[in-house]
Amino acid sequence: MQAVILAAGEGTRMRPLTYTKPKVMLPVANKPILQHVIENLARAGVDEVVLVVGYREDTVREHFGDELEGVRIKYVRQTKQLGTAHALLSAKHLLDDRFMMLNGDAIVFEDDLKHLVREKSAIAVREVSNPQDFGVVDVENNSVKEIIEKPENPPSNLINAGIYVFTREIVNYLEKTPLSVRGEYEITDSITMAIADGFEFKAVRIEGWIDVGYPWDLLKANETLLSHVESKIEGEVEDGAVIKGNVVIGEGTVIMAGSYIVGPVVIGQNCRIGPNCYIRPYTAIGDNCHIGNAVEVKNSIIMSSTKVPHFNYIGDSVIGENCNFGAGTKIANLRLDEGEIAVNVKGRVVITGRKKFGAAIGDNVKTGINASINVGTLIGNNVFIGPGAVVDGVVEPNSKVY
Amino acid sequence: MQAVILAAGEGTRMRPLTYTKPKVMLPVANKPILQHVIENLARAGVDEVVLVVGYREDTVREHFGDELEGVRIKYVRQTKQLGTAHALLSAKHLLDDRFMMLNGDAIVFEDDLKHLVREKSAIAVREVSNPQDFGVVDVENNSVKEIIEKPENPPSNLINAGIYVFTREIVNYLEKTPLSVRGEYEITDSITMAIADGFEFKAVRIEGWIDVGYPWDLLKANETLLSHVESKIEGEVEDGAVIKGNVVIGEGTVIMAGSYIVGPVVIGQNCRIGPNCYIRPYTAIGDNCHIGNAVEVKNSIIMSSTKVPHFNYIGDSVIGENCNFGAGTKIANLRLDEGEIAVNVKGRVVITGRKKFGAAIGDNVKTGINASINVGTLIGNNVFIGPGAVVDGVVEPNSKVY
Amino acid sequence: MQAVILAAGEGTRMRPLTYTKPKVMLPVANKPILQHVIENLARAGVDEVVLVVGYREDTVREHFGDELEGVRIKYVRQTKQLGTAHALLSAKHLLDDRFMMLNGDAIVFEDDLKHLVREKSAIAVREVSNPQDFGVVDVENNSVKEIIEKPENPPSNLINAGIYVFTREIVNYLEKTPLSVRGEYEITDSITMAIADGFEFKAVRIEGWIDVGYPWDLLKANETLLSHVESKIEGEVEDGAVIKGNVVIGEGTVIMAGSYIVGPVVIGQNCRIGPNCYIRPYTAIGDNCHIGNAVEVKNSIIMSSTKVPHFNYIGDSVIGENCNFGAGTKIANLRLDEGEIAVNVKGRVVITGRKKFGAAIGDNVKTGINASINVGTLIGNNVFIGPGAVVDGVVEPNSKVY
């Protein structure tokens, strides 16, 4: 079966992490979100994927090429992001008679996908406690009657999961779909027209679901995925290193003596870890990283080629690729008053709902010795933070802070 | 035998440590000073203690309840602290025919107490080299002839240790004692009257004595008591941890791999220690503490529920309860010029007589990442010290330093 | 055979390291440069050395006394440094009939010295790619025809190595040598006169050569010498310490558990190392040093009696004697832009040619907790750097930075 995956948007709420790659390419448990999506599709029986790409599409094409786990991968460019119907229409020339459509930035699990794959025409629905904030699906006899956007009085607590099984006939409706109030061509409008014409969509419930909006949501997603990880040690573990719980260590990686790792933790290939570092649960470290002398990392995502070499503390944070931390640079992850952490996202204060969140840091950030990065800081890519500096709030890309 | 213990004063020279508890409740070798006093009395044969309490009496009552090591404990409230005679008079209704009276903030040892317990009526005396600074005791045929306050020409080098054995008849004199020049009802005045009436007080020499005035005196006291401690490991010590010398580790405490502990050290219950921390001699750590990754602690008192979690250095310091140190917060304990350390106590500069003294820190203090606390700093309770801040001198309670 | 070694100059380009000792006394691989010179001479058959001393001559005399490795050592004071001919003339009364003359601040190897020792009268030459920057030697039939200072068109790529074998007759020419253009009495002028008179000097090629100009050159020299070191453990290595590669550990030194040492590394006598420190290749640590808890040292020279006790990072740096680093003081050794490091030497910016260079720090420097020393900093002797301070550039001797 074929699946069309929408993967063209930046995901601006994920800035600064998306300055250099689209949201679907952000890693969770050491793989891009999109890779989790495709691998789960593969396990559910999908054998061809059409990726609708746009923003920073090079990063997607380079990572996946034309095949992953036996799944053929094709690409379609959506130059302007004019909505979900428009995105699917971009792939018109590649569509099979029946295909699945889903978003590349939300992870659905194998079992749920298997249920969908069987259907001829379907809409996945999820049960939530606050349906009024979503597109609510009115279901009758297992069929979708209507999708209503953010209704005041929701007819059910089932919402549209954004995962569909279509036959090729949907294309007719895509082409007729008018601009919506918010200025997009929306697939739900196309579906509404198809239902009006007598097409039937089965409502299929899905149970698992990992959705990410803000940088700190990656930590939650990482935590969820890592809690299912199983130990697999392909690198070298020196005598005197302690490994507890489920830990994955990639080929070519060396865990030096005195390192203390408590899983679930995944570490990529060709990393140098230690000596005497402390890696705590729910940490994902990419390839070619260096976690050095006495460093402590906890509940964090550290992307590939990043060096955290000496006396650093990284807690509840997401760190981009190719960063280098000066000796003693630390990230705070708890307010002194232990209050909930708020972060400035695109000029607006967003409550994270977390008591512990450190920083989200873009690619190629270099910090000096003894620099301090305060709770809830966002640092753009290519930033220099000088020795002894204290940073806070939002640091724009390419800036220097001394 | 009964003992009346004066435990009602704050001990303002011990601020900031006494903002939340009276001086007698400050811990040395992981027990309040008063507990050492009572335990030594118990070993000397005392079976009932009357605690004269006042300042923050709740902390005393909660800690001891009505029994300790087989000793019944009764409480008397001294609302205003009008002197030692007044304090004892507060306990009038509870007094036995014969009883001991002593201060709750000075530790006297079992052997000395055993000598006192045998007497009918006695005053403990200590030999010092500078008697002119104290109440000097003039002794004739083992009997006290007179107690003279700070005499220019001391008749002996024996001073009043403030420990007495009285018969109930002392009450008559307490009630007749006039206000002294410094505005208190003083037990020495009562005694003088009793002697004039023909009462006889045996002078009993005591040898051991641990007295504390300023916060740094707690370190000396701690050192003295810890030098007699014997190893007792009731918690878990992981492989790869090093334990040298006499070390006490309480139940439920885990010493993680790579920790290096050199006794004498006492660690309370349910602490998490390590990995890779370094705990050096003469350190006392309370219950429910966390001494974390790469932390170094030396010659210090850390009270219960305090977290010293990553990259902290604490040397020659006293840290209150429920504090939390940011990653990399350090306390300096040596002047750059290696000179003697002076501390501002209640607006007056006090020479500590020490080349090494770090800080005295009250309860509930939270510090940020990479904060620096300079030599000889006093920090009140409930203080926030921001990331990268450098503090010095006296920090008032409830303040925020950024 | 006798050798006269010029050891009278300060070596001002080596400041701040030479504020307290002459350049020849700067240690490389844990021995003064001059000691390497003398030991190599001893191995080549030299049995008497005349040291021409001047600047801080006491440090030379105290270190060597009157004998080293079977070589008699004599001293001559050159009060004013008026050139190489003048220096040699200072030793006139001690000269044998035949003797070698060389500089005390450049290390020549045993094999090369053996070739020279055999000659009656010789000048050592080295082949370089940029002869125009040196005194170029014009050689005919293995004999020196002329020495030309920085010629535009060098007659060869052989330069004068500053190592000579003379007969006593050279003295006549020394006495006749006029002041040169740059205001010195130069040995090359004396030689030119001798050649004019028919004296013959054999040109002897030397292969090895370790020359140092600036502080960072010591690191290169140290690296070269350490790469030939062989393991020799005379101190105590605790269980749980890791030693890899060639490591020398002196008598009385203790390597505590959790230390991780990767050779080539040399550590002197009576040092305390660890616990949990990380000492990386090409590090030389003198006697009576303390490298403490969690400290990391890499590619550095640390002179005797210096304490680097807790949470310090020292990379690509030269640290004087008797320094003490506050907990968490770190030296940066890489620019954030990873560019070549430039250093201000005597008011002039000098390009080091290195991407990694930390600091050169004189004797008796004390730093506070969490101080930061930036890339390419020079710190004079007797400096105090306060807690949390960030230093950069040049710090004058005896100053205080807060």
Side-chain angles (χ1 to χ4, degrees):
Chain A
M1 189 186 187
Q2 186 187 49
V4 179
I5 304 179
L6 308 191
E10 174 184 346
T12 55
R13 292 187 303 171
M14 276 291 180
R15 287 182 186 168
L17 303 172
T18 54
Y19 282 126
T20 49
K21 52 175 76 75
K23 182 181 172 187
V24 298
M25 291 304 289
L26 295 176
V28 173
N30 271 6
K31 290 174 186 171
I33 295 169
L34 179 53
Q35 184 168 347
H36 289 288
V37 172
I38 298 175
E39 288 182 2
N40 287 347
L41 287 168
R43 284 187 209 110
V46 167
D47 59 3
E48 177 171 301
V49 152
V50 178
L51 295 178
V52 182
V53 293
Y55 178 79
R56 295 270 179 198
E57 57 174 300
D58 51 317
T59 61
V60 185
R61 291 177 188 264
E62 273 170 29
H63 183 82
F64 291 105
D66 56 9
E67 190 269 340
L68 179 80
E69 306 254 329
V71 175
R72 274 186 312 282
I73 300 184
K74 296 177 173 172
Y75 296 87
V76 164
R77 176 181 302 157
Q78 183 192 21
T79 28
K80 282 193 184 164
Q81 287 157 49
L82 300 176
T84 44
H86 176 263
L88 183 53
L89 204 50
S90 316
K92 177 183 171 185
H93 56 294
L94 294 176
L95 296 178
D96 283 355
D97 284 348
R98 192 172 66 93
F99 60 91
M100 194 184 293
M101 169 179 171
L102 68 172
N103 292 304
D105 63 354
I107 302 172
V108 189
F109 294 106
E110 182 182 344
D111 287 351
D112 287 329
L113 291 169
K114 277 182 177 160
H115 293 147
L116 279 161
V117 157
R118 289 192 215 116
E119 303 299 329
K120 186 180 160 223
S121 200
I123 296 176
V125 298
R126 288 199 298 141
E127 192 169 331
V128 298
S129 57
N130 55 337
Q132 64 282 356
D133 299 337
F134 300 91
V136 177
V137 182
D138 191 2
V139 180
E140 215 173 69
N141 300 325
N142 287 328
S143 266
V144 174
K145 213 170 123 191
E146 196 181 359
I147 304 175
I148 320 153
E149 274 308 307
K150 301 185 183 174
E152 273 185 46
N153 300 302
S156 78
N157 55 0
L158 297 175
I159 65 161
N160 176 12
I163 313 172
Y164 311 97
V165 180
F166 291 129
T167 57
R168 219 187 174 293
E169 291 146 312
I170 193 71
V171 172
N172 303 329
Y173 297 96
L174 297 177
E175 289 174 335
K176 286 191 289 191
T177 301
L179 266 186
S180 72
V181 188
R182 48 176 197 175
E184 295 191 353
Y185 301 98
E186 309 202 24
I187 192 79
T188 45
D189 289 339
S190 318
I191 291 168
T192 299
M193 288 188 288
I195 291 173
D197 276 4
F199 278 88
E200 200 180 322
F201 294 92
K202 186 160 177 194
V204 176
R205 277 182 186 243
I206 62 171
E207 306 297 336
W209 178 265
I210 299 178
D211 197 9
V212 290
Y214 294 102
W216 49 90
D217 294 333
L218 293 172
L219 298 177
K220 186 77 187 70
N222 195 52
E223 201 174 314
T224 305
L225 291 178
L226 288 191
S227 39
H228 300 102
V229 99
E230 285 179 15
S231 282
K232 186 169 165 194
I233 313 254
E234 297 182 313
E236 180 194 346
V237 179
E238 292 188 353
D239 279 357
V242 174
I243 311 270
K244 297 189 165 188
N246 288 314
V247 176
V248 174
I249 297 170
E251 257 183 61
T253 287
V254 179
I255 312 293
M256 296 169 78
S259 299
Y260 197 112
I261 304 179
V262 183
V265 161
V266 294
I267 301 173
Q269 300 186 342
N270 302 315
C271 294
R272 192 153 52 91
I273 308 292
N276 298 331
C277 67
Y278 184 25
I279 302 178
R280 295 163 58 189
Y282 305 111
T283 293
I285 295 167
D287 295 334
N288 308 308
C289 288
H290 177 205
I291 306 296
N293 177 51
V295 168
E296 179 171 349
V297 186
K298 176 226 155 192
N299 206 333
S300 291
I301 294 171
I302 294 177
M303 300 186 202
S304 291
S305 301
T306 278
K307 295 177 184 170
V308 189
H310 356 245
F311 311 105
N312 309 289
Y313 177 69
I314 293 186
D316 305 278
S317 295
V318 184
I319 315 295
E321 295 181 28
N322 200 34
C323 292
N324 192 3
F325 281 66
T329 288
K330 291 171 192 96
I331 301 177
N333 62 331
L334 178 68
R335 291 167 54 135
L336 296 182
D337 64 5
E338 298 184 8
E340 210 175 307
I341 296 162
V343 176
N344 189 323
V345 178
K346 298 164 73 183
R348 205 165 51 82
V349 172
V350 178
I351 304 296
T352 62
R354 297 175 66 101
K355 277 181 64 178
K356 295 214 171 179
F357 172 59
I361 298 183
D363 293 348
N364 307 312
V365 170
K366 317 286 175 179
T367 75
I369 48 174
N370 286 335
S372 301
I373 298 170
N374 213 343
V375 161
T377 300
L378 304 181
I379 300 180
N381 51 313
N382 305 322
V383 164
F384 287 172
I385 294 171
V390 179
V391 300
D392 219 327
V394 176
V395 180
E396 293 300 325
N398 306 305
S399 54
K400 293 178 168 54
V401 183
Y402 284 93
Chain B
M1 191 185 187
Q2 185 187 49
V4 178
I5 305 179
L6 308 191
E10 174 184 346
T12 55
R13 292 187 303 172
M14 276 291 180
R15 287 182 186 168
L17 304 172
T18 52
Y19 283 127
T20 49
K21 52 175 78 76
K23 183 181 173 187
V24 296
M25 290 305 290
L26 295 176
V28 172
N30 272 7
K31 289 174 189 172
I33 296 169
L34 179 54
Q35 184 168 348
H36 290 288
V37 172
I38 297 174
E39 288 181 1
N40 288 348
L41 287 169
R43 284 187 210 111
V46 167
D47 58 2
E48 177 172 301
V49 153
V50 177
L51 295 178
V52 182
V53 293
Y55 179 77
R56 296 268 179 201
E57 57 175 300
D58 51 315
T59 61
V60 184
R61 290 176 188 264
E62 273 170 28
H63 183 81
F64 292 105
D66 55 8
E67 190 270 342
L68 180 79
E69 307 254 328
V71 176
R72 276 185 312 282
I73 300 185
K74 296 177 176 173
Y75 296 88
V76 163
R77 177 180 300 157
Q78 183 192 22
T79 28
K80 282 193 185 166
Q81 286 159 50
L82 300 176
T84 43
H86 176 263
L88 183 53
L89 204 50
S90 317
K92 178 183 170 185
H93 56 295
L94 295 175
L95 296 178
D96 284 355
D97 284 347
R98 193 172 65 93
F99 59 90
M100 195 185 290
M101 170 180 172
L102 70 172
N103 292 303
D105 64 353
I107 302 173
V108 190
F109 294 108
E110 182 182 342
D111 287 351
D112 288 329
L113 291 169
K114 276 180 177 161
H115 293 145
L116 280 162
V117 157
R118 288 192 216 118
E119 304 298 330
K120 185 180 160 224
S121 200
I123 296 177
V125 297
R126 288 198 299 143
E127 192 171 331
V128 298
S129 58
N130 56 337
Q132 64 282 352
D133 298 338
F134 300 91
V136 176
V137 182
D138 191 3
V139 180
E140 214 174 71
N141 298 326
N142 287 327
S143 266
V144 174
K145 213 171 123 193
E146 196 182 359
I147 303 174
I148 320 153
E149 274 308 306
K150 301 187 183 171
E152 272 186 44
N153 301 300
S156 77
N157 54 2
L158 298 174
I159 64 162
N160 176 11
I163 312 171
Y164 312 96
V165 180
F166 291 128
T167 55
R168 215 182 178 295
E169 290 147 313
I170 193 71
V171 171
N172 304 326
Y173 296 95
L174 298 175
E175 289 174 335
K176 286 190 288 189
T177 301
L179 266 184
S180 72
V181 188
R182 48 176 197 177
E184 295 191 353
Y185 300 99
E186 309 202 24
I187 192 79
T188 45
D189 290 339
S190 318
I191 292 168
T192 300
M193 287 188 287
I195 291 173
D197 275 4
F199 279 88
E200 201 181 321
F201 293 92
K202 188 163 178 190
V204 176
R205 277 182 186 244
I206 61 171
E207 306 297 336
W209 178 264
I210 299 178
D211 196 9
V212 292
Y214 295 102
W216 49 90
D217 294 332
L218 292 172
L219 298 176
K220 186 78 186 68
N222 194 52
E223 201 174 313
T224 305
L225 290 178
L226 288 190
S227 39
H228 300 102
V229 99
E230 285 180 16
S231 282
K232 187 170 164 193
I233 313 253
E234 296 183 311
E236 179 194 346
V237 179
E238 292 189 353
D239 279 358
V242 175
I243 311 271
K244 297 190 163 188
N246 289 314
V247 176
V248 174
I249 297 171
E251 258 184 62
T253 287
V254 179
I255 311 293
M256 296 170 80
S259 299
Y260 197 112
I261 304 179
V262 183
V265 162
V266 294
I267 301 174
Q269 301 187 342
N270 302 314
C271 294
R272 191 152 52 90
I273 307 293
N276 297 329
C277 68
Y278 184 25
I279 301 178
R280 295 163 58 189
Y282 306 110
T283 294
I285 296 166
D287 294 333
N288 307 308
C289 289
H290 178 205
I291 305 296
N293 176 51
V295 167
E296 180 171 350
V297 186
K298 176 226 155 195
N299 205 333
S300 292
I301 294 170
I302 295 177
M303 300 186 204
S304 290
S305 302
T306 278
K307 295 178 184 170
V308 189
H310 356 245
F311 310 107
N312 308 289
Y313 177 68
I314 292 186
D316 305 278
S317 296
V318 184
I319 315 295
E321 295 180 29
N322 198 33
C323 293
N324 191 3
F325 282 66
T329 289
K330 289 169 194 98
I331 300 177
N333 61 331
L334 178 68
R335 290 166 54 133
L336 297 182
D337 64 5
E338 299 184 8
E340 210 175 306
I341 296 162
V343 176
N344 190 323
V345 178
K346 298 164 70 182
R348 204 164 52 81
V349 172
V350 178
I351 304 297
T352 62
R354 297 175 66 101
K355 278 183 62 179
K356 295 213 170 177
F357 173 59
I361 298 183
D363 293 347
N364 306 311
V365 170
K366 318 287 175 178
T367 76
I369 48 174
N370 287 335
S372 301
I373 298 170
N374 213 342
V375 162
T377 300
L378 304 182
I379 300 180
N381 51 312
N382 305 321
V383 164
F384 288 172
I385 294 171
V390 178
V391 300
D392 219 324
V394 176
V395 180
E396 293 300 326
N398 305 305
S399 54
K400 294 180 168 54
V401 184
Y402 284 93
Chain C
M1 189 184 189
Q2 185 187 50
V4 178
I5 304 179
L6 309 190
E10 174 184 346
T12 56
R13 292 187 303 172
M14 276 291 180
R15 287 181 188 169
L17 304 172
T18 53
Y19 283 126
T20 49
K21 52 176 78 76
K23 182 181 173 187
V24 297
M25 290 305 289
L26 295 176
V28 172
N30 271 8
K31 289 174 187 171
I33 296 170
L34 179 54
Q35 184 169 346
H36 290 288
V37 172
I38 297 175
E39 288 181 2
N40 287 347
L41 286 169
R43 283 187 209 110
V46 167
D47 58 3
E48 177 171 301
V49 153
V50 178
L51 296 178
V52 182
V53 293
Y55 179 78
R56 296 270 179 196
E57 58 175 299
D58 51 315
T59 62
V60 184
R61 291 177 189 264
E62 274 169 29
H63 183 81
F64 292 106
D66 55 8
E67 192 268 338
L68 180 79
E69 307 253 327
V71 176
R72 274 185 313 281
I73 300 184
K74 296 176 175 173
Y75 296 89
V76 163
R77 175 182 302 156
Q78 184 191 21
T79 27
K80 283 194 185 165
Q81 287 159 49
L82 300 175
T84 44
H86 176 264
L88 184 53
L89 203 50
S90 317
K92 176 183 170 185
H93 56 293
L94 294 174
L95 295 178
D96 283 355
D97 285 347
R98 193 172 65 93
F99 59 92
M100 195 183 292
M101 171 182 171
L102 69 171
N103 292 305
D105 63 355
I107 302 172
V108 190
F109 293 107
E110 181 182 343
D111 287 351
D112 288 329
L113 291 169
K114 277 180 176 160
H115 294 146
L116 279 162
V117 157
R118 289 192 215 117
E119 303 298 330
K120 186 181 160 222
S121 199
I123 296 177
V125 298
R126 287 199 299 141
E127 193 170 330
V128 298
S129 58
N130 56 338
Q132 64 283 350
D133 298 337
F134 299 91
V136 176
V137 182
D138 191 3
V139 179
E140 215 174 70
N141 299 327
N142 287 329
S143 265
V144 175
K145 214 171 125 193
E146 196 182 359
I147 304 175
I148 320 152
E149 274 308 308
K150 301 186 182 174
E152 272 185 47
N153 301 302
S156 79
N157 54 2
L158 297 175
I159 65 162
N160 175 11
I163 312 171
Y164 313 97
V165 181
F166 292 129
T167 56
R168 219 185 174 293
E169 290 147 312
I170 193 71
V171 172
N172 303 327
Y173 297 95
L174 297 177
E175 290 174 334
K176 286 190 290 190
T177 301
L179 266 186
S180 72
V181 188
R182 47 176 196 174
E184 294 191 354
Y185 301 99
E186 308 202 24
I187 193 77
T188 46
D189 290 339
S190 319
I191 291 168
T192 298
M193 288 187 288
I195 291 173
D197 275 5
F199 279 87
E200 201 180 321
F201 294 92
K202 187 162 177 190
V204 176
R205 277 181 186 244
I206 61 170
E207 307 297 336
W209 178 265
I210 300 178
D211 198 9
V212 292
Y214 294 102
W216 49 91
D217 294 332
L218 292 173
L219 297 177
K220 184 79 187 66
N222 194 53
E223 201 175 313
T224 305
L225 291 179
L226 288 191
S227 39
H228 301 102
V229 100
E230 285 179 15
S231 282
K232 187 170 164 194
I233 312 251
E234 297 183 312
E236 179 194 346
V237 179
E238 292 188 352
D239 279 358
V242 174
I243 311 270
K244 297 189 164 190
N246 289 314
V247 176
V248 174
I249 297 170
E251 257 183 62
T253 287
V254 179
I255 312 293
M256 295 168 80
S259 299
Y260 197 111
I261 303 179
V262 183
V265 161
V266 295
I267 300 173
Q269 301 186 342
N270 302 315
C271 294
R272 192 153 52 92
I273 308 293
N276 297 330
C277 68
Y278 184 26
I279 301 179
R280 295 164 56 188
Y282 305 111
T283 293
I285 296 167
D287 296 333
N288 309 308
C289 289
H290 178 205
I291 306 297
N293 176 50
V295 167
E296 179 170 350
V297 186
K298 176 226 156 193
N299 207 333
S300 291
I301 294 171
I302 294 177
M303 300 186 203
S304 290
S305 302
T306 278
K307 294 177 185 171
V308 189
H310 356 244
F311 310 106
N312 309 288
Y313 177 69
I314 293 186
D316 304 278
S317 295
V318 184
I319 315 296
E321 295 180 28
N322 199 34
C323 293
N324 192 4
F325 282 65
T329 288
K330 291 172 192 94
I331 300 177
N333 62 333
L334 178 68
R335 290 166 53 135
L336 296 182
D337 65 4
E338 297 182 9
E340 211 175 306
I341 295 163
V343 175
N344 190 322
V345 179
K346 296 164 74 181
R348 205 166 50 84
V349 172
V350 178
I351 304 297
T352 62
R354 298 175 66 101
K355 277 182 62 178
K356 294 214 172 179
F357 173 59
I361 298 182
D363 294 346
N364 307 311
V365 170
K366 317 287 174 178
T367 75
I369 47 174
N370 287 335
S372 300
I373 298 170
N374 213 342
V375 161
T377 300
L378 304 181
I379 301 179
N381 51 313
N382 306 321
V383 164
F384 287 172
I385 294 171
V390 179
V391 300
D392 218 326
V394 176
V395 180
E396 293 300 325
N398 307 305
S399 53
K400 293 179 169 52
V401 183
Y402 284 92

